Amino acid sequence: MTVKNEQEAEKSEEWEPKIIAFLCNWCSYAGADLAGVSRIQYPPNIRIVRVPCSGRVNPYFIVKSLTDGWDGVVVSGCHPGDCHYLTGNLVARRRFAILKELLEFFGIEPGRVNFMWASAAEGERFAVLIRKATKIVKELGPNKKFEKKW
Amino acid sequence: MSFEPKLLGFLCNWCSYAGADLAGVSRIQYPPNMRVIRVMCSGRVDPKFLIQALELGIDGVYVMGCHIGDCHYLEGNYEALRKFDMTKKLLSFVGLDNRIRLDWVSASEGVRFGEVVSKFVEDIRALGPSPLSRDNPDQELLKKVKAINMAAGTKRLRALVGRQRKITEEENVYGEKVPEEEFNELLDTALKEEYDRQRILLALARDSKSVKDLAVELSLEPSLVLEHMLTLKGRSQVDFQEIIGNTPLFMRI
Amino acid sequence: MEKVGAVMVVGAGIGGSQASLDLADSGYKVYLIESTTSIGGVMAQLDKTFPTNDCAMCIVSPKLVETGRHQNIDLSINCKIQEVSGEAGNFTVKVLKKSLFINQDKCTGCGVCGKECPVEAIDIFNEGLAKYAATSVRYPQAVPLVYAINKDYCIGCGICAGVCKAKAVEYDLEDEEVDLNVGAIILSPGFDEYVPPKANLYGYGKYKNVVTSIEFERILSASGPYAGRVLRPSDGDVPEKVAFLQCIGSRDFSGSGNPYCSSVCCMYTAKEAVIAHEHMHQIKPTIFSMDVRAYGKDFDKYIIRAQEEYGVQYIRSRISSIQEVPETNDLRIRYETEDGKVKEEIFQMVVLAVGFNPPNDAKYLAEKFGIELNEYNFAKTDIFNPVQTSKPGIFACGAFSSPKDIPDTVTQASAAAGCVNQLLYDEKGTLITEKSLPPEIFVNGQPPRIGVFICHCGINIGGFVDVPEVTRYAKTLPNVVLSDRNLYTCSADTQTIIKNMVKEYHLNRVIVASCTPRTHEPLFQETIREAGLNRYLFQMANIRDQCSWVHMNEPEAATEKAKDLVRMAVNKARKIQPIDRIKLSVTPKALVVGGGISGMAAALNFASQEYETYLVEKQDKLGGFANNIYHTLEGGDVQAFITDLIKKIESHEFIHVYKEAEIENIDGYIGNFKTSIIYGKNKEKAEFEHGVVIVATGAKEYQPNEYLYGQNDLVILQSELEKILNTSDDIKKKKSIVMIQCVGSRNDEHPYCSKMCCAEAIKNALLAKEKNPDVEITVLFRDIRTYGFKEKYYRKAREAGVIFIQYDENDPPKINVEDSELRVEVKTARHDTINIKSDWLVLSAGIYAIREENEDLAKMLKVPLNDDNFFLEAHVKLRPVDFATEGVFVAGIAHCPKTIEDSIAQANAAVSRACTILSKEEIEAEGKTAQIDMSRCIGCGMCIENCAYNAIELIDDRRFGRVAYINQALCKGCGACSGNCRCAAIDILGFTGEQIFSMITGRVS
């Protein structure tokens, strides 16, 4: 095997995390679209689930994602004050502040679940945040906390 | 020992190459400095061929084709002329434009072939060795020629040159003719812009730099560098990296 | 002449879009004519909006998408008005639709042509800061998303036609002329910003780091050329000290600028300074201004926050010179401080707060439409109705009639629509077409049969994602009976294919994997509905905007991702069910609370459209505070106006007036309210049903306890002075009058500006001077806020000899009484103390709202109040007369202090908004709403707290006891309640837990 092939082999074996992203329809989903329209590149590890509002994201969605083997979770809504539904993101913020602590208490690494804001005009910011989140999750390694041992 | 230029010639198969053959059959003597590459038509000669040759230290490049109107492929030499002009303009940014030459030599002009080659050898000898010659190439200049080479490969310049004849001599898609001067003005701007942009990309090849650093390095106006940076960013070729103090650094993607 | 049930709206900025939506929703056919190639106007260029720092694009783009897709709105871009004939009720307008050279019906907006265009030309949208090609769309989120060829730059090389896979480029497309027959016309062409001339004092165009405010807005914008980084144009560095210069081209009597005040610059400058600092903390903004005109709702608070939280420094000065420092490109500003010293300071960047000019084609439009312009070339409007032009049937809104901000523009847009309603109400619904649709196929209980359509989008998806592979893969997924791929799934012929496939394969779920549902979901939903499927049996996988375009360098990973996204969509599709939107009947009657000018204007508008209207007034007479006002600053005769208005109201057959009335109770919701009141001397009871409510309760004049008011007879209020001036000649005996501004405004107790007092003081001062030219009048002020065209009167007052002295808010004037003589002592900015003998001390008392009074009504209507006890609208920028609670609207001073004209505009706007409801026999509620499982609900009430729309209440159910009940009419489906429900009793249709879980587990392939 040539050196180049070895490198390629190594690269293909490099572990890539799978991350699920819950994006609110009005800001973050639109921001993700804008990243696309502006052709801003970011890692292909995320799978996006559209929800009407970050307030729709039930904590159980996040827990279920982790137990189902997703390596990371991203929840992104409108900036505080920008919510299409007036206060949905504030409700979400309160909810996730508590959930975050609870998850940490259970031993989920802090970087695995990311909460963020991205507006419809922030295509670039969206890409940057996703890059960051992907990097963190990648460093944390596969999510094995919920792997069945029997 | 006097300087013996190393020259390259691109000769079209049907006229100039045959002309060169005729010179041989007629035993016409001319200096041995030029190595010939046969192409089917002078229109085949890509600007990048000429630039690449200069980049490698060749002292001069000759392009020869059929006389206007005589092209075996009807209009290939018209295209050759446009491409050659663009190449010359690009090379004029670094003063190498006098090291390339375009001429029409027909299959019957064996004598003339000998004459023009002799003249080219003489002229290049007078110019002296290429600053990019093998032993000791001028590194600064080399970078610039590399940028020219890259610029000649950009879609934008190729599109402009490719459609130049159609829209200035015949008619454009609206059935209008774009005046030659107007087009040239546009082309000149495009050439300069693409050249500068490629220089920026080259300068960013190894490490990220700020607009101000680049401006000093490339002796360009900082505001112009910033403008180019935005275009390159739009083309997903550069991106912001980080901000140090009050100065953002750009990196190449 | 026969009236026509269609309306033309000229100019599709935020004002034009709002007017069009209001009218289209009320049943009129709307022709929206735009001169550029996309709608959204200036607002779409903005980064954030004051005073809430809302992201402009986030709030405006859903509205623009709605405008672009509305079936009653016929949007034409790149147009020019040619000729206008006819009169109110029936106009004919000849419109020239200029060719885009790209077929709008075929263009998918993919943008390949722009990327390949070899001619780079300056773009307008980024204000020349970035370069774009001759084929371009104005901004990435443009509506309509079609490209256009800018013929000025195009050289006709033909490359775009070659690369366009949709074959949309048609160079032989010709201009088209159409005649449109409409009943009314609304002009909303907006404004053009003032461009500083080349040889100007500020070095604009000469020094690179001097930019205009609109350029700076693009610099700030996250979607602008610098992607939200604040960089200076000379060298791309972050400027540390940024100077903002106010009143560039405004309040300029020198002749080079405009004499009027542009109204919005003080606020947008504060916003730009705040946002600049927010983007980059090292930026220290300094604002050079004359007066800070923060006269709107919550504006003053914003200025205070800018100073206190963001460190924005205000310097009251007009600078004297500006010079570039050659080596650094920094700028040296020389200015005079308030106390008269000359200072020099270096800044890294300078932003010129440029004012508003009338639109460049104002004269052209005026001539074509036959309307008059005012002295500044803005549209001339009626003194009491700011949207009525000089020609009946033609209305103007937004910045075309005077410089104004977004909420005022939106209000006027609705107001113009309201006035159109008055004119054309009996032609409503005559020209709109309703589609006949096949009955829905019954799919409940049947196993899912899913059809997947995967789009190549030319090369936009196909170039990076292996579409055939994804198609093969989709076929292997459970319940998928058809997997097909198309070059453009959105093209018209593919819609036919989809419809045929639904029939052929008996599909009962359809998935399209292509671009974004935000723009294309409605189109595909329409298609499957036409094929007989319920709209909600549709799913979309976003494999372009969120996959192929963002992973262009990793085709394999992108293909994997596309497969995952399709699988997740399939998983969800297996769980989706048809949703029926519930329909509510509407009682076509209105309740107006408050019989002041706003209330009366609203009631009269309703009534003239033959809607039965109940007008409820607390006092024993109509007119409200306007009874104390004689004239407006501009000379409008208020007394004559309200006398006439009251007469019309009291004699109108459709208006029931209840005086001395108190509201006992309001029940119900949008379309179906029930109100009971007690009214009259005998405390009679009345009850009525109505579909909408307008709150026009007004506010009170502040009764000061400062400056000896109430203790000394020589201390009076402006309103009292007005009465004296208009009813007696007492002024002729007076030698000196002192007026004090901001009494009871802009202090800790009332931290807002009352907006009217400056105009009030100047109005009275001018009248006093007119009656007695010898009287000496001194006005003690903090900032003179004669915004817009009122600036003229400020200047007039100064020319008439009225003296204006600024006082320091921390060191207010002192009143001394000596031998029954009043002496006013005031410290000036230069720290001199002046002592003025005064025959009358006139206090400009502010406006205030009483919490106790407003709170009851607010609770009954479930609408909020702000900190200052004024009613709080649904959205400060784009829904200025709506409440979050549907069917309830606000008008006049109940909303915040405003002028009579603005109150009338707001009243008409509220009516227009209300007519979007009243004009329908029944309204459709949002389909994707929250549903409650009563058997799981424990009645904790948590969801009620989280609902911003007051859609949830606790009820006593016969079987389940105390449980939450969701009013489907009010629910918007955001899901905030569901996410917090501790017993998982609430689910959101269209985004149910089951569906989302299936997407989560979809990862396990």
Side-chain angles (χ1 to χ4, degrees):
Chain A
M1 206 188 244
T2 64
V3 178
K4 202 180 168 198
N5 277 349
E6 263 172 34
Q7 275 177 347
E8 264 171 19
E10 199 174 285
K11 208 176 165 189
S12 69
E13 272 164 32
E14 196 181 323
W15 174 74
E16 287 293 339
K18 280 208 175 181
I19 300 171
I20 189 165
F22 297 96
L23 306 187
C24 90
N25 184 44
W26 304 97
C27 293
S28 301
Y29 197 87
D33 279 349
L34 180 60
V37 177
S38 324
R39 313 292 200 274
I40 301 166
Q41 307 292 304
Y42 55 82
N45 305 58
I46 63 159
R47 304 291 180 263
I48 291 168
V49 175
R50 184 165 68 117
V51 289
C53 172
S54 51
R56 170 66 186 108
V57 180
N58 195 315
Y60 194 47
F61 295 173
I62 295 162
V63 177
K64 178 82 173 158
S65 302
L66 292 170
T67 56
D68 261 17
W70 290 88
D71 300 306
V73 182
V74 167
V75 180
S76 181
C78 309
H79 284 273
D82 283 1
C83 182
H84 185 82
Y85 301 106
L86 313 175
T87 54
N89 55 354
L90 303 181
V91 173
R93 179 164 69 176
R94 264 174 273 153
R95 187 185 300 156
F96 297 138
I98 298 169
L99 180 67
K100 218 171 155 66
E101 278 187 30
L102 185 69
L103 288 174
E104 279 169 38
F105 177 75
F106 281 132
I108 306 289
E109 304 88 331
R112 239 184 241 297
V113 182
N114 286 285
F115 303 107
M116 60 196 216
W117 317 115
S119 79
E122 295 178 331
E124 175 145 337
R125 179 184 150 89
F126 178 79
V128 169
L129 290 172
I130 292 302
R131 272 180 222 144
K132 224 188 254 168
T134 311
K135 192 165 163 259
I136 295 172
V137 175
K138 205 165 173 177
E139 279 164 8
L140 287 173
N143 167 24
K144 289 184 174 158
K145 287 261 152 57
F146 296 96
E147 230 166 52
K148 286 179 183 148
K149 292 276 162 59
W150 60 87
Chain B
M1 200 182 100
S2 74
F3 158 60
E4 282 302 332
K6 284 200 184 78
L7 306 178
L8 203 58
F10 290 96
L11 273 53
C12 94
N13 183 54
W14 306 97
C15 296
S16 311
Y17 196 85
D21 277 354
L22 181 62
V25 173
S26 321
R27 308 296 195 275
I28 291 160
Q29 303 298 303
Y30 55 89
N33 303 52
M34 188 163 89
R35 307 291 176 269
V36 169
I37 295 176
R38 183 170 64 115
V39 289
M40 292 311 283
C41 175
S42 54
R44 168 69 183 99
V45 181
D46 193 303
K48 284 180 82 84
F49 293 173
L50 309 188
I51 302 163
Q52 183 86 28
L54 293 176
E55 201 181 313
L56 291 170
I58 301 282
D59 296 305
V61 188
Y62 217 145
V63 181
M64 291 186 197
C66 308
H67 283 277
I68 293 295
D70 290 353
C71 179
H72 185 78
Y73 303 103
L74 311 177
E75 295 183 338
N77 48 4
Y78 287 94
E79 294 296 336
L81 182 60
R82 297 290 180 180
K83 284 184 209 161
F84 184 82
D85 282 349
M86 179 192 97
T87 317
K88 213 166 163 78
K89 278 180 178 167
L90 275 174
L91 286 170
S92 72
F93 294 141
V94 290
L96 291 179
D97 51 324
N98 48 9
R99 288 185 184 271
I100 60 169
R101 188 170 289 177
L102 172 74
D103 226 325
W104 312 129
V105 176
S106 78
S108 59
E109 295 178 326
V111 180
R112 187 159 169 270
F113 178 81
E115 284 168 11
V116 295
V117 171
S118 308
K119 177 81 172 57
F120 191 48
V121 173
E122 232 171 81
D123 291 350
I124 297 292
R125 184 174 286 139
L127 277 179
S130 160
L132 299 175
S133 66
R134 275 290 165 83
D135 326 325
N136 184 23
D138 177 343
Q139 289 302 330
E140 273 309 300
L141 184 66
L142 192 62
K143 258 195 207 163
K144 289 183 182 171
V145 175
K146 277 207 169 105
I148 288 175
N149 199 347
M150 283 157 62
T154 56
K155 280 187 199 165
R156 183 178 177 207
L157 294 187
R158 293 177 91 87
L160 282 174
V161 167
R163 299 288 163 118
Q164 184 174 11
R165 247 166 39 78
K166 175 108 179 114
I167 61 180
T168 57
E169 289 171 17
E170 296 166 26
E171 55 171 34
N172 69 9
V173 294
Y174 306 108
E176 299 156 1
K177 216 187 235 186
V178 177
E180 194 82 39
E181 311 81 64
E182 199 180 292
F183 185 88
N184 275 329
E185 205 176 299
L186 210 126
L187 179 64
D188 289 348
T189 323
L191 290 172
K192 181 78 175 82
E193 281 178 355
E194 292 309 318
Y195 168 57
D196 285 344
R197 285 172 196 163
Q198 299 306 327
R199 286 180 72 201
I200 291 172
L201 286 178
L202 272 181
L204 288 175
R206 285 185 189 282
D207 29 37
S208 37
K209 285 169 189 167
S210 74
V211 165
K212 278 192 288 191
D213 294 343
L214 286 166
V216 173
E217 187 180 328
L218 308 175
S219 5
L220 292 169
E221 273 287 310
S223 56
L224 189 68
V225 175
L226 182 64
E227 245 173 61
H228 287 321
M229 211 55 104
L230 296 178
T231 311
L232 291 171
K233 193 170 169 295
R235 293 182 187 170
S236 299
Q237 288 181 300
V238 300
D239 204 354
F240 287 101
Q241 197 193 26
E242 54 181 331
I243 295 183
I244 300 204
N246 285 333
T247 309
L249 297 185
F250 288 84
M251 61 176 181
R252 200 169 153 181
I253 313 177
Chain C
M1 194 183 276
E2 205 166 293
K3 283 186 183 173
V4 182
V7 184
M8 173 175 286
V9 178
V10 181
I14 185 60
S17 301
Q18 180 63 49
S20 302
L21 283 174
D22 271 12
L23 290 166
D25 282 339
S26 302
Y28 300 98
K29 174 85 191 165
V30 177
Y31 297 100
L32 179 56
I33 307 295
E34 167 62 32
S35 62
T36 69
T37 54
S38 66
I39 66 174
V42 175
M43 185 171 175
Q45 280 183 298
L46 304 181
D47 178 46
K48 300 276 163 62
T49 58
F50 63 82
T52 47
N53 287 355
D54 261 333
C55 154
M57 192 45 87
C58 299
I59 57 178
V60 77
S61 79
K63 207 157 220 171
L64 299 182
V65 171
E66 202 186 336
T67 309
R69 295 205 59 91
H70 203 293
Q71 65 169 25
N72 296 348
I73 300 178
D74 183 342
L75 169 65
S76 304
I77 54 174
N78 213 20
C79 287
K80 194 175 177 182
I81 302 294
Q82 300 284 78
E83 262 169 61
V84 186
S85 59
E87 59 189 59
N90 194 335
F91 292 98
T92 302
V93 185
K94 196 186 276 301
V95 177
L96 177 71
K97 295 185 177 179
K98 288 182 277 180
S99 170
L100 302 167
F101 303 102
I102 290 182
N103 188 326
Q104 283 189 62
D105 300 330
K106 289 188 192 161
C107 177
T108 63
C110 73
V112 171
C113 52
K115 290 235 174 301
E116 300 295 331
C117 174
V119 196
E120 291 183 350
I122 310 274
D123 79 323
I124 316 152
F125 202 74
N126 276 329
E127 296 295 329
L129 296 160
K131 293 195 162 188
Y132 273 89
T135 43
S136 77
V137 64
R138 276 176 74 222
Y139 55 107
Q141 302 99 330
V143 175
L145 188 57
V146 290
Y147 277 67
I149 293 179
N150 187 339
K151 192 83 187 337
D152 294 345
Y153 297 116
C154 182
I155 53 169
C157 67
I159 292 207
C160 44
V163 297
C164 180
K165 296 284 173 287
K167 302 202 168 27
V169 180
E170 292 173 13
Y171 299 111
D172 50 2
L173 266 188
E174 278 177 12
D175 294 357
E176 194 190 340
E177 240 181 20
V178 287
D179 281 326
L180 298 173
N181 190 214
V182 295
I185 296 166
I186 295 177
L187 302 176
S188 55
F191 65 96
D192 273 293
E193 73 261 9
Y194 172 80
V195 181
K198 276 277 170 273
N200 61 73
L201 168 69
Y202 308 105
Y204 178 72
K206 193 160 101 191
Y207 307 141
K208 290 213 166 63
N209 292 329
V210 178
V211 299
T212 65
S213 43
I214 191 87
E215 288 168 344
F216 193 67
E217 198 74 50
R218 292 312 294 158
I219 291 180
L220 286 175
S221 172
S223 54
Y226 303 153
R229 289 172 189 81
V230 182
L231 308 178
R232 57 183 204 157
S234 80
D235 55 9
D237 267 8
V238 181
E240 215 162 279
K241 285 176 70 186
V242 181
F244 293 83
L245 311 184
Q246 297 263 241
C247 296
I248 306 299
S250 303
R251 302 181 66 186
D252 183 342
F253 289 87
S254 71
S256 65
N258 298 312
Y260 52 83
C261 160
S262 291
S263 301
V264 300
C265 326
C266 283
M267 286 313 292
Y268 79 58
T269 301
K271 173 203 73 184
E272 288 185 353
V274 163
I275 301 296
H277 180 79
E278 208 170 61
H279 278 281
M280 303 254 168
H281 288 304
Q282 57 267 60
I283 294 175
K284 293 181 187 65
T286 303
I287 297 175
F288 291 90
S289 68
M290 304 209 283
D291 296 286
V292 179
R293 295 192 164 163
Y295 55 82
K297 193 174 188 177
D298 289 341
F299 287 5
D300 261 320
K301 284 181 209 156
Y302 191 80
I303 301 283
I304 293 168
R305 241 177 60 213
Q307 289 169 299
E308 289 175 359
E309 283 175 37
Y310 295 90
V312 177
Q313 195 193 350
Y314 273 88
I315 295 177
R316 191 182 281 267
S317 172
R318 215 168 191 172
I319 64 148
S320 54
S321 80
I322 182 166
Q323 225 133 37
E324 191 173 56
V325 182
E327 313 83 60
T328 54
N329 297 111
D330 288 348
L331 298 148
R332 183 181 290 124
I333 288 182
R334 182 195 272 268
Y335 64 95
E336 192 183 349
T337 59
E338 273 183 76
D339 46 14
K341 291 192 193 102
V342 175
K343 267 182 91 170
E344 263 190 10
E345 217 173 321
I346 302 267
F347 291 90
Q348 272 79 50
M349 192 165 172
V350 171
V351 180
L352 305 179
V354 291
F356 283 26
N357 275 357
N360 291 336
D361 56 354
K363 280 189 183 153
Y364 177 83
L365 289 174
E367 189 198 319
K368 290 289 170 197
F369 286 101
I371 59 164
E372 284 174 43
L373 296 180
N374 69 11
E375 55 193 303
Y376 310 115
N377 286 330
F378 285 87
K380 188 173 176 182
T381 53
D382 186 271
I383 205 151
F384 285 115
N385 186 354
V387 299
Q388 175 64 58
T389 66
S390 57
K391 186 163 175 174
I394 300 185
F395 304 92
C397 67
F400 185 38
S401 54
S402 70
K404 58 177 63 73
D405 61 5
I406 295 166
D408 282 355
T409 299
V410 173
T411 305
Q412 282 204 348
S414 286
C419 294
V420 170
N421 264 319
Q422 254 176 319
L423 179 68
L424 300 177
Y425 70 96
D426 42 4
E427 296 300 323
K428 222 178 252 184
T430 52
L431 288 176
I432 53 167
T433 42
E434 270 189 40
K435 248 193 195 160
S436 67
L437 292 167
E440 279 185 18
I441 300 167
F442 187 76
V443 301
N444 272 355
Q446 295 171 8
R449 293 180 61 82
I450 304 173
V452 184
F453 296 87
I454 299 166
C455 181
H456 280 264
C457 195
I459 56 161
N460 286 294
I461 296 171
F464 312 98
V465 167
D466 185 349
V467 175
E469 169 60 22
V470 178
T471 315
R472 267 194 300 278
Y473 174 74
K475 188 81 184 60
T476 66
L477 296 170
N479 298 94
V480 174
V481 293
L482 167 76
S483 175
D484 196 5
R485 57 199 166 94
N486 324 92
L487 186 58
Y488 287 105
T489 310
C490 57
S491 67
D493 53 322
T494 315
Q495 304 316 303
T496 320
I497 295 176
I498 294 177
K499 278 186 254 179
N500 291 339
M501 293 297 176
V502 168
K503 285 199 186 79
E504 200 180 322
Y505 286 82
H506 301 288
L507 302 178
N508 56 20
R509 309 281 190 283
V510 173
I511 293 175
V512 171
S514 62
C515 46
T516 170
R518 289 176 44 255
T519 53
H520 281 70
E521 194 173 39
L523 168 77
F524 296 123
Q525 285 187 318
E526 204 56 37
T527 303
I528 68 160
R529 181 64 194 83
E530 282 165 18
L533 288 178
N534 180 284
R535 277 192 181 82
Y536 295 92
L537 293 171
F538 176 78
Q539 271 304 301
M540 224 166 154
N542 188 337
I543 61 167
R544 186 186 76 177
D545 298 45
Q546 297 178 359
C547 185
S548 72
W549 273 350
V550 288
H551 313 305
M552 293 167 115
N553 308 323
E554 301 155 279
E556 274 170 32
T559 306
E560 274 313 302
K561 180 171 176 177
K563 283 180 179 175
D564 278 358
L565 291 171
V566 169
R567 187 180 58 246
M568 289 161 81
V570 168
N571 281 6
K572 184 173 178 185
R574 294 166 63 201
K575 306 283 182 197
I576 54 180
Q577 294 297 333
I579 299 173
D580 283 324
R581 295 193 192 175
I582 61 156
K583 289 186 173 159
L584 306 161
S585 63
V586 175
T587 312
K589 297 176 184 176
L591 166 68
V592 179
V593 187
I597 281 201
S598 321
M600 288 195 291
L604 189 61
N605 192 335
F606 276 129
S608 55
Q609 297 184 55
E610 300 183 9
Y611 290 122
E612 213 168 323
T613 307
Y614 304 96
L615 180 61
V616 176
E617 166 60 41
K618 197 174 242 170
Q619 308 289 327
D620 58 356
K621 85 189 233 213
L622 295 174
F625 194 74
N627 285 323
N628 304 326
I629 303 173
Y630 291 81
H631 294 279
T632 62
L633 177 61
E634 290 82 1
D637 187 342
V638 180
Q639 287 303 316
F641 177 74
I642 58 164
T643 313
D644 180 53
L645 191 58
I646 292 172
K647 215 168 95 194
K648 277 185 192 153
I649 294 276
E650 294 198 321
S651 62
H652 206 292
E653 56 172 324
F654 285 100
I655 303 179
H656 309 279
V657 182
Y658 298 94
K659 285 183 239 180
E660 290 177 82
E662 199 142 327
I663 296 180
E664 267 201 315
N665 193 28
I666 303 178
D667 247 348
Y669 48 87
I670 175 173
N672 301 281
F673 290 100
K674 201 176 205 173
T675 298
S676 56
I677 61 165
I678 295 175
Y679 70 97
K681 291 209 168 53
N682 308 328
K683 303 277 174 214
E684 285 169 78
K685 237 182 151 147
E687 243 186 45
F688 37 79
E689 289 180 356
H690 50 100
V692 295
V693 184
I694 289 185
V695 176
T697 50
K700 296 260 178 321
E701 186 181 32
Y702 176 65
Q703 301 298 312
N705 37 33
E706 47 269 74
Y707 302 119
L708 304 179
Y709 180 71
Q711 299 165 36
N712 189 316
D713 288 346
L714 299 179
V715 182
I716 56 175
L717 300 182
Q718 284 290 359
S719 57
E720 291 163 344
L721 175 65
E722 183 167 355
K723 188 167 185 185
I724 295 168
L725 289 173
N726 282 287
T727 53
S728 75
D729 280 335
D730 290 359
I731 184 70
K732 294 197 171 151
K733 294 171 236 155
K734 304 291 172 183
K735 286 203 189 85
S736 165
I737 301 177
V738 174
M739 296 181 179
I740 300 180
Q741 298 301 105
C742 294
V743 179
S745 296
R746 302 178 66 191
N747 56 18
D748 291 340
E749 200 185 339
H750 301 124
Y752 52 89
C753 166
S754 294
K755 195 171 178 179
M756 278 126 73
C757 335
C758 284
E760 190 78 11
I762 287 170
K763 175 182 78 182
N764 286 342
L766 281 170
L767 185 59
K769 275 278 187 193
E770 192 188 306
K771 287 193 142 185
N772 177 8
D774 296 329
V775 66
E776 198 169 273
I777 301 174
T778 313
V779 180
L780 307 180
F781 70 98
R782 282 170 61 186
D783 293 285
I784 289 291
R785 294 184 166 171
T786 43
Y787 60 93
F789 303 144
K790 297 190 195 318
E791 180 73 11
K792 179 169 87 177
Y793 300 94
Y794 177 30
R795 188 169 171 87
K796 245 190 195 164
R798 279 183 297 167
E799 280 169 354
V802 178
I803 300 159
F804 289 86
I805 299 173
Q806 196 194 4
Y807 70 86
D808 183 353
E809 53 174 304
N810 299 318
D811 197 358
K814 287 184 191 66
I815 317 296
N816 303 314
V817 186
E818 287 166 26
D819 317 328
S820 74
E821 257 186 20
L822 283 180
R823 298 195 81 87
V824 182
E825 188 186 307
V826 62
K827 221 178 222 160
T828 68
R830 295 192 183 207
H831 307 303
D832 313 326
T833 305
I834 302 177
N835 222 314
I836 313 161
K837 184 175 144 332
S838 175
D839 298 335
W840 268 332
L841 177 64
V842 188
L843 304 182
S844 290
I847 295 166
Y848 79 115
I850 304 168
R851 176 155 287 267
E852 295 74 45
E853 284 184 11
N854 285 348
E855 211 165 35
D856 286 345
L857 186 60
K859 272 193 185 143
M860 278 189 264
L861 291 168
K862 298 176 192 152
V863 299
L865 299 177
N866 74 0
D867 293 344
D868 306 324
N869 307 327
F870 291 101
F871 284 90
L872 182 61
E873 63 274 33
H875 191 276
V876 177
K877 280 287 165 187
L878 294 186
R879 297 179 68 195
V881 299
D882 298 41
F883 282 113
T885 309
E886 283 199 84
V888 188
F889 306 90
V890 65
I893 294 183
H895 166 258
C896 75
K898 55 176 60 71
T899 61
I900 289 177
E901 307 93 274
D902 287 350
S903 297
I904 292 169
Q906 224 185 357
N908 285 327
V911 171
S912 164
R913 300 291 305 139
C915 284
T916 63
I917 299 165
L918 295 183
S919 63
K920 300 187 179 84
E921 275 167 24
E922 46 186 21
I923 43 173
E924 262 193 357
E926 171 68 46
K928 295 179 177 175
T929 52
Q931 301 291 316
I932 197 143
D933 180 349
M934 287 192 185
S935 62
R936 304 188 83 154
C937 179
I938 56 168
C940 68
M942 183 74 174
C943 46
I944 298 174
E945 312 250 304
N946 289 333
C947 183
Y949 299 94
N950 300 307
I952 313 180
E953 57 188 331
L954 285 179
I955 57 161
D956 285 312
D957 187 82
R958 206 156 46 85
R959 276 199 299 160
F960 299 106
R962 202 156 177 74
V963 289
Y965 164 79
I966 297 167
N967 187 335
Q968 296 296 307
L970 299 176
C971 179
K972 298 275 168 208
C974 71
C977 51
S978 161
N980 274 13
C981 179
R982 54 181 78 182
C983 31
I986 308 182
D987 218 343
I988 310 296
L989 292 182
F991 292 97
T992 64
E994 194 191 20
Q995 290 162 3
I996 291 177
F997 286 136
S998 73
M999 293 176 88
I1000 296 171
T1001 37
R1003 175 212 184 311
V1004 192
S1005 44

